[in-house]
Amino acid sequence: MIAQHTDGSLREVTFDRPESRNALTPAGLDALEAAFETAEEPVVYLSGRGSAFCAGADLEVVRSLDADSARDLAAAGQRVARTIETYDGVVVAGVDGPARGGGVELALACDLRIGTAAATFAESGVTHGLFGAWGGTARLPDVVGPGMAMDMALTGRVLDAEAARQCGLLSRVVENPRAVARQLLEADPAALRTIRRRIADDRELADQEAAEVTAFADLVERRNG
């Protein structure tokens, strides 16, 4: 359900249930979390096998839930998203095909979202009387703005690749997202890690600026020392 391998300094993690559009079961979430917890590479490329990126939670699992197991599934999805978000390297989501529900939310936890022209996004939980509980109501407004987040979550409408790029769900639309991930490897891994840490820092401006000065000096010393 989750495949992974290392190609040089690039770790590739792949949703690997193409027969179900890469929908995730609790075991799949555990495997995805383990893949990131054991990774050490400066760049991780997250993608889906087959015609979809990830359909989110497996609907067969969702239909079997009671209140307690629903809490467990939501908490597990949030935990995995945080594991991706806090990975000490750059995580690139390569979206080639549909991302739905939890698939959108896991992509939102990545540092870069690069799509092909076939990429589509929808917060489709509302069509099942639910909503995106793997961080959908938290990360989505930060990325696309509250208005677009409301639109997506309340209507479940599908955004094509260009609409996703325009609202910030995608950084760019290319033929080969994996090539973008590989291009990052041309940079110094320490610089990559420092940049993502600094941009992700959400403390007060003065604290960010102080950390920026220290991090810049550390990189200069590493480079010139």
Side-chain angles (χ1 to χ4, degrees):
M1 54 191 70
I2 299 296
Q4 57 178 314
H5 77 280
T6 299
D7 181 4
S9 296
L10 179 69
R11 172 69 67 99
E12 298 194 39
V13 178
T14 307
F15 300 115
D16 196 16
R17 288 186 72 206
E19 72 283 356
S20 63
R21 298 201 309 167
N22 297 319
L24 287 165
T25 63
L29 285 170
D30 288 345
L32 181 59
E33 182 179 26
F36 277 88
E37 287 179 337
T38 58
E40 297 179 345
E41 291 75 14
V43 180
V44 175
Y45 181 64
L46 179 64
S47 63
R49 188 162 76 89
S51 61
F53 176 71
C54 177
D58 189 308
L59 289 180
E60 291 300 315
V61 172
V62 173
R63 293 187 187 104
S64 71
L65 298 176
D66 58 19
D68 288 338
S69 55
R71 289 188 184 93
D72 291 342
L73 182 64
Q78 291 174 0
R79 186 180 66 246
V80 174
R82 285 195 300 273
T83 300
I84 295 171
E85 188 174 50
T86 58
Y87 179 72
D88 194 23
V90 179
V91 183
V92 180
V95 184
D96 182 18
R100 299 288 184 268
V104 175
E105 291 142 34
L106 294 175
L108 287 169
C110 298
D111 299 302
L112 288 174
R113 291 170 297 280
I114 310 297
T116 69
T120 61
F121 292 80
E123 274 289 11
S124 50
V126 68
T127 63
H128 304 286
L130 300 168
F131 70 94
W134 293 355
T137 59
R139 290 186 182 87
L140 187 63
D142 287 344
V143 172
V144 304
M148 178 60 80
M150 281 287 189
D151 188 354
M152 291 182 66
L154 293 175
T155 68
R157 75 185 180 100
V158 176
L159 301 185
D160 64 18
E162 181 55 26
R165 188 194 65 79
Q166 290 178 3
C167 74
L169 273 174
L170 289 177
S171 299
R172 31 180 154 155
V173 179
V174 300
E175 290 186 6
N176 184 3
R178 184 178 180 276
V180 177
R182 289 212 61 84
Q183 185 179 20
L184 290 172
L185 297 175
E186 297 173 9
D188 182 344
L192 291 177
R193 289 188 168 99
T194 299
I195 291 166
R196 73 159 302 280
R197 288 172 188 163
R198 299 280 27 92
I199 291 176
D201 191 344
D202 60 359
R203 294 176 298 169
E204 294 294 327
L205 178 60
D207 292 329
Q208 292 187 48
E209 289 177 336
E212 197 173 65
V213 168
T214 300
F216 183 74
D218 288 346
L219 285 178
V220 168
E221 182 179 28
R222 182 178 184 277
R223 175 177 173 174
N224 299 340

